[in-house]
Amino acid sequence: MTTSEAKEYKLSADCELRFEVEDETVICELKSGLAEMFGTELMRAHKYHFRSGSKVAIFTYHGCVVELTGRPEVDYISRETPMTFYVNLSAALEALRTKAQEEDRCGPTLMVVGPSDCGKSTLCRILLNYAVRMGRQPLFVDLDCGQGCVSIAGTLGAVTVERPADIEDGYSLVAPIAYHFGHTSPDGNITLYNILMKCLSKSVEMKMQTEKRSKYSGVIINTCGWVKSHGYQAIIRAAQDFNVDIITVLDQERLYNELVRDVNSSVKVIFTPKSGGVVERVRKYRIEARDAKVRWYFYGTAKSGLYPYSFEVPFSQLRVYKIGAPNLPDSCMPIGMKTEDNLTKLVSVSPTAQTLLNHILAVSTATSVEDNLKVIESNLFGFVCVTNVDIERQVVTLLAPQQRPLPPNCILLLSDIQFMDSH
Ligand code: ATP
């Protein structure tokens, strides 16, 4: 498409219109028939706006006519999609939920694994949306610290999904559980990652016990694309920690066979086809997607904007810590301590432009740093971003989602994630 005139696409049953948006916004409208995007139904005659970076698939079970206005970078109709497999998987999960409800026990826990860019997050979104459309309220656990579907990158989190993801804005994230990890890949600190996974699994278990609807609806877990060495070990651990019933392995037969060999025989491991539409994202896109998530946290979306606040905090009131001291060999450690202890140690960070400027700080609910593990295992209030460090006046400027000042003696945890506030 070379002009920004509207173009109509006639889709037969079980076909998918795929398009990517590069610079200009593309408007999509369902003209007739029924269609959905990653499990969320499109409303007829409604104009959906897709902004730069969007990679979209409009699928139809019955046939439809869709109109695009704008200049998508790529646009084509595909007849080859794994949607029938996904809808059958969803139906099987629904049968397990019904059984769980009859027997008053927890619904199924399904974990999606696979290498980077194979459509893990998208499959989770489809399964969650289908579950919600069946009247369920599943829990979504996100172990992918690289993108952060539940919160922002650098965290591990969980949230109850009560309604289908919005076509343009994604999930409505009400009261998520989020733990600070601070890195974009588990290998940033695998010891800490494993502790947080265990901790999150306990929180999820508690949520299942207290929320009856979630209990029967079960859990969908998204994972990182790191599927080798420690990454693979983390998948095995996650399967144990979360008592996973089903693992769907996207795309990689080797990973599938390894998991069949290594996980408990009671866990069903399913090889799952990857959609040909999944787009491989280069590093630049990953960074942009991460950035977009942070911007969303502070500024909301085009449809529902937020207005963050900026305030100064004197150095004397700032308590910033980084989790994990530099790695030393066991022989250099004090008697009785292991290298791993260093990886969960809270290290105080002095405020300088180099250490803090543009970094995200997680606001911990912990009140004391005496017990390091307690801080690590504490849920987060939210995040602030350091937009200025004034050494002369000894103050930092923080961007925060609310006007209320930070709680006194508030513990801030330094993240590797950086955000340039260009507003
Ligand atoms: P990561 O390893 O970074 O976590 P992932 O395996 O979770 O990636 P997704 O994020 O699900 O992969 O998909 C990568 C991109 O492909 C996303 O931008 C998504 O919107 C797009 N995508 C997924 N399925 C399709 C499809 N059928 N057609 C077009 N685009 C798609």
Side-chain angles (χ1 to χ4, degrees):
M1 203 191 269
T2 50
T3 67
S4 59
E5 279 165 24
K7 181 175 168 186
E8 258 190 16
Y9 302 78
K10 282 193 178 60
L11 275 72
S12 323
D14 297 324
C15 287
E16 180 167 277
L17 167 65
R18 295 172 184 160
F19 62 94
E20 293 177 34
V21 185
E22 196 57 32
D23 299 312
E24 223 180 82
T25 298
V26 171
I27 298 167
C28 172
E29 188 178 333
L30 175 65
K31 291 290 196 183
S32 64
L34 296 171
E36 56 180 54
M37 185 188 115
F38 305 140
T40 308
E41 279 186 297
L42 265 69
M43 280 190 292
R44 206 165 305 158
H46 181 90
K47 290 188 186 331
Y48 294 100
H49 292 70
F50 292 98
R51 283 159 229 286
S52 174
S54 302
K55 295 164 198 335
V56 184
I58 307 293
F59 177 81
T60 177
Y61 285 106
H62 306 283
C64 69
V65 176
V66 175
E67 184 188 87
L68 294 188
T69 312
R71 291 194 197 109
E73 185 68 9
V74 181
D75 59 311
Y76 65 97
I77 294 174
S78 173
R79 278 160 231 289
E80 298 292 322
T81 83
M83 288 304 286
T84 309
F85 189 99
Y86 296 170
V87 80
N88 285 338
L89 180 60
S90 174
L93 285 174
E94 188 49 34
L96 292 172
R97 290 180 190 122
T98 308
K99 202 157 174 244
Q101 193 160 2
E102 283 163 8
E103 295 169 5
D104 191 26
R105 54 179 178 77
C106 291
T109 297
L110 175 140
M111 183 163 78
V112 180
V113 304
S116 290
D117 293 328
C118 65
K120 297 181 294 301
S121 316
T122 307
L123 176 56
C124 288
R125 182 164 168 168
I126 293 170
L127 295 176
L128 287 164
N129 281 338
Y130 284 169
V132 174
R133 283 166 64 182
M134 298 294 290
R136 301 292 180 182
Q137 222 172 63
L139 277 162
F140 176 38
V141 172
D142 193 16
L143 303 178
D144 183 1
C145 52
Q147 292 296 326
C149 293
V150 163
S151 179
I152 59 172
T155 59
L156 271 67
V159 70
T160 308
V161 181
E162 295 174 356
R163 56 183 71 92
D166 184 88
I167 295 280
E168 292 153 324
D169 292 351
Y171 302 105
S172 114
L173 301 173
V174 181
I177 306 169
Y179 293 103
H180 169 80
F181 179 56
H183 310 276
T184 53
S185 165
D187 65 353
N189 187 340
I190 192 73
T191 307
L192 175 63
Y193 185 81
N194 288 336
I195 291 173
L196 294 178
M197 252 191 340
K198 183 81 199 164
C199 182
L200 186 58
S201 70
K202 284 189 199 151
S203 300
V204 166
E205 202 185 318
M206 256 163 62
K207 233 176 168 10
M208 297 273 274
Q209 295 311 330
T210 50
E211 292 173 17
K212 268 256 150 68
R213 261 179 85 188
S214 292
K215 178 179 170 181
Y216 306 134
S217 303
V219 183
I220 305 282
I221 306 174
N222 187 26
T223 56
C224 285
W226 187 32
V227 293
K228 288 186 183 156
S229 77
H230 288 307
Y232 178 71
Q233 296 306 330
I235 292 174
I236 302 278
R237 244 175 207 270
Q240 290 163 354
D241 288 349
F242 288 91
N243 276 321
V244 167
D245 303 296
I246 306 156
I247 303 180
T248 68
V249 187
L250 276 165
D251 195 33
Q252 218 183 66
E253 260 187 81
R254 200 196 77 184
L255 179 62
Y256 164 77
N257 282 298
E258 284 174 343
L259 285 169
V260 170
R261 182 192 67 202
D262 295 338
V263 294
N264 196 308
S265 58
S266 62
V267 181
K268 262 201 170 56
V269 187
I270 307 170
F271 185 72
T272 310
K274 166 188 165 176
S275 167
V278 177
V279 185
E280 203 175 307
R281 288 170 296 184
V282 289
R283 193 163 170 269
K284 173 179 163 263
Y285 279 125
R286 283 180 184 280
I287 294 171
E288 276 176 13
R290 240 174 255 151
D291 243 44
K293 206 67 209 287
V294 180
R295 195 167 305 110
W296 160 86
Y297 177 77
F298 288 112
Y299 290 98
T301 61
K303 248 181 4 193
S304 40
L306 297 173
Y307 302 93
Y309 297 89
S310 198
F311 51 83
E312 289 185 339
V313 179
F315 284 0
S316 57
Q317 286 174 22
L318 209 60
R319 295 168 80 201
V320 182
Y321 297 88
K322 183 178 166 13
I323 303 176
N327 225 341
L328 294 173
D330 277 340
S331 55
C332 300
M333 296 292 290
I335 294 169
M337 277 183 78
K338 302 184 288 315
T339 311
E340 273 141 44
D341 299 332
N342 247 6
L343 296 172
T344 54
K345 207 166 147 178
L346 257 64
V347 183
S348 176
V349 178
S350 338
T352 65
Q354 208 186 2
T355 53
L356 295 187
L357 187 60
N358 298 326
H359 276 269
I360 294 292
L361 305 176
V363 185
S364 174
T365 51
T367 47
S368 150
V369 287
E370 234 165 76
D371 183 348
N372 285 191
L373 210 56
K374 225 171 174 174
V375 178
I376 290 171
E377 294 182 347
S378 291
N379 196 2
L380 300 176
F381 279 129
F383 306 92
V384 293
C385 178
V386 182
T387 52
N388 190 33
V389 180
D390 190 331
I391 300 290
E392 234 167 73
R393 292 175 51 234
Q394 298 272 293
V395 293
V396 292
T397 310
L398 300 180
L399 181 73
Q402 55 184 22
Q403 196 173 16
R404 212 176 319 145
L406 295 172
N409 294 325
C410 160
I411 297 167
L412 298 168
L413 301 169
L414 178 66
S415 176
D416 280 353
I417 314 300
Q418 285 180 278
F419 175 66
M420 289 278 280
D421 184 23
S422 54
H423 261 72

